[in-house]
Amino acid sequence: MKKVLMLTAAMLLMTFFAEAQKKYSVYAVGFYNLENLFDTCHDEGKNDYEFLPTGSYRWDGIRYSHKLHNMARALSDMGTDVLPGVGCAVIGVSEVENAKALTDLVNQPELKARNFKFAHIEGPDKRGVDCALLYNPSLFKYERDTLYQYVQELEKDSAFKTRGFLTVEGKIADEPVVIIVCHWPSRFSGSFYRESAARQVRVIKDKLLAENPERKIFVMGDMNDDPNNKSMVSDLSAKPEIAKVKDGDMYNPWYNLLAKQGTGTLVYNGSYNLFDQIVMTPNLLDLKGKKDYTKLTFFKNQIQRMPYLFQTEGKYKGTPKRTTAGGVWLDGFSDHLPVCVYLVKEQK
């Protein structure tokens, strides 16, 4: 695995680095909204009735097994255009029902071949969907996880429970890494609730950095906001340009993909949004342009566009191929596209 990683990195970076005698490793960090990965059984206290054999989705064993296979195929392919046969070190996921669904997912042949594990803590969401982190233990050394609950700021909302912020600590390339996996409140809730989520995540991030400034922190997830929305730009302070990133800020490499290229990760009313983002702390950046890659450093980011993820015909041709649309089972993937960022580190 390590030899493949180093060889691929060297090939990838051959034109990027002047000193050809040096060797580099590349690591992929991803996120994917799995769009309702439910099992076929009822979870007590959860409103999962649509995803039962008798529910509106007629969610039986056949459809569940197809969904698992499709998700595993896409997850295993993430990052392989840059790292063939290796893929992602970690992948944050959202819209997963429970540990059983995650166990069934990592036992699919595509993920089992790389010995994928997962970190997950059951949350309070009334539909029963959670966030989780999948990881390849040969590339990410898991240490601990914590679920920070979403705290309602308004008294009128005090009884409403929603998805929290799954925070997973570990190491990539022997460096301390923290991944905060999010699924912020929907657009139906209003922007205030996503801005509140951003403020809360920023507090978590600042606390973790205060404890250990060497931690490389990623905030990832389905933010239900675009990179240029207030929650991202102001409340999380995720800046669009590396040169503008200061202490206390984060860097958002997705901003210009939407603003300048008009591309994104989901389509609504014929236009792209880019809700699926991975942003990072300044200690992952080449802030001064010195090309010093002796520590983990951000290299580039990509929306993953495997051809099979898209509709190939009909009214929605060219948009992400969903599992179900308009009450029709499409045997597809998700209404979102996955995303990856790539990190590089010089080998000693």
Side-chain angles (χ1 to χ4, degrees):
M1 177 72 74
K2 187 170 289 186
K3 288 181 179 178
V4 172
L5 197 64
M6 290 174 62
L7 177 61
T8 305
M11 293 171 61
L12 172 69
L13 302 173
M14 192 175 296
T15 60
F16 188 70
F17 295 103
E19 298 179 79
Q21 72 274 19
K22 291 185 178 180
K23 294 183 179 180
Y24 300 88
S25 284
V26 175
Y27 300 86
V29 171
F31 174 79
Y32 196 15
N33 180 325
L34 302 187
E35 194 192 17
N36 297 321
L37 179 57
F38 281 79
D39 63 22
T40 61
C41 303
H42 174 59
D43 283 6
E44 189 66 30
K46 303 295 185 181
N47 185 13
D48 58 1
Y49 297 104
E50 288 182 311
F51 288 92
L52 298 176
T54 56
S56 60
Y57 286 91
R58 297 189 291 279
W59 200 244
D60 57 17
I62 292 175
R63 294 188 176 188
Y64 178 51
S65 64
H66 277 241
K67 176 73 171 179
L68 288 168
H69 169 70
N70 289 351
M71 292 295 90
R73 179 186 179 190
L75 290 161
S76 66
D77 281 348
M78 288 173 62
T80 55
D81 57 334
V82 172
L83 296 166
V86 178
C88 288
V90 297
I91 307 172
V93 294
S94 65
E95 294 198 19
V96 177
E97 185 180 17
N98 51 33
K100 179 185 182 302
L102 286 161
T103 300
D104 292 342
L105 179 63
V106 298
N107 281 329
Q108 295 297 300
E110 298 90 341
L111 297 178
K112 193 170 185 178
R114 296 184 200 157
N115 196 32
F116 262 85
K117 309 295 183 186
F118 67 85
H120 166 259
I121 298 173
E122 186 70 28
D125 186 87
K126 64 181 181 180
R127 286 187 63 235
V129 289
D130 296 324
C131 293
L133 185 77
L134 308 180
Y135 63 92
N136 182 333
S138 69
L139 301 173
F140 175 78
K141 305 305 180 185
Y142 166 88
E143 293 177 348
R144 64 185 66 86
D145 55 39
T146 306
L147 182 64
Y148 292 90
Q149 300 293 345
Y150 181 104
V151 178
Q152 298 290 353
E153 294 187 35
L154 304 179
E155 180 62 29
K156 69 181 182 68
D157 300 317
S158 59
F160 183 75
K161 306 296 182 184
T162 191
R163 302 171 292 268
F165 316 111
L166 179 68
T167 303
V168 184
E169 300 175 50
K171 288 184 177 178
I172 295 177
D174 296 321
E175 296 188 30
V177 170
V178 182
I179 296 130
I180 304 174
V181 190
C182 306
H183 189 181
W184 290 355
S186 74
R187 291 228 149 176
F188 295 107
S189 302
S191 61
F192 170 83
Y193 297 96
R194 293 184 297 281
E195 291 159 11
S196 177
R199 290 190 289 271
Q200 294 179 50
V201 170
R202 189 172 181 178
V203 168
I204 296 167
K205 180 264 296 182
D206 288 345
K207 169 181 173 290
L208 291 166
L209 277 181
E211 292 172 354
N212 181 2
E214 296 300 314
R215 283 171 165 155
K216 311 293 179 70
I217 300 181
F218 299 91
V219 175
M220 63 169 63
D222 176 359
M223 310 307 190
N224 274 308
D225 262 342
D226 286 320
N228 59 353
N229 289 136
K230 181 178 180 293
S231 62
M232 297 300 297
V233 174
S234 299
D235 296 289
L236 190 58
S237 194
K239 305 303 182 184
E241 305 291 345
I242 289 179
K244 295 180 179 179
V245 177
K246 308 298 181 185
D247 288 345
D249 294 336
M250 303 194 81
Y251 172 56
N252 192 342
W254 310 97
Y255 190 104
N256 290 316
L257 276 182
L258 183 66
K260 295 182 179 180
Q261 299 181 27
T263 190
T265 56
L266 68 156
V267 177
Y268 181 71
N269 284 342
S271 298
Y272 269 111
N273 290 101
L274 211 165
F275 291 172
D276 306 272
Q277 302 167 57
I278 304 171
V279 302
M280 64 202 74
T281 46
N283 55 9
L284 280 152
L285 304 175
D286 181 21
L287 289 170
K288 298 180 180 179
K290 292 183 176 180
K291 296 185 178 180
D292 177 6
Y293 300 100
T294 54
K295 293 187 177 181
L296 273 178
T297 304
F298 169 72
F299 173 47
K300 70 173 185 175
N301 60 302
Q302 285 182 328
I303 298 172
Q304 303 291 284
R305 297 182 176 278
M306 292 81 83
Y308 57 77
L309 295 179
F310 294 88
Q311 290 271 20
T312 57
E313 58 187 11
K315 179 180 178 181
Y316 299 105
K317 182 179 178 179
T319 65
K321 185 178 181 181
R322 306 183 61 168
T323 302
T324 302
V328 178
W329 184 53
L330 302 177
D331 195 16
F333 295 82
S334 173
D335 55 341
H336 293 242
L337 296 175
V339 293
C340 284
V341 299
Y342 298 93
L343 315 173
V344 63
K345 184 176 182 178
E346 181 184 334
Q347 295 295 311
K348 295 182 179 180

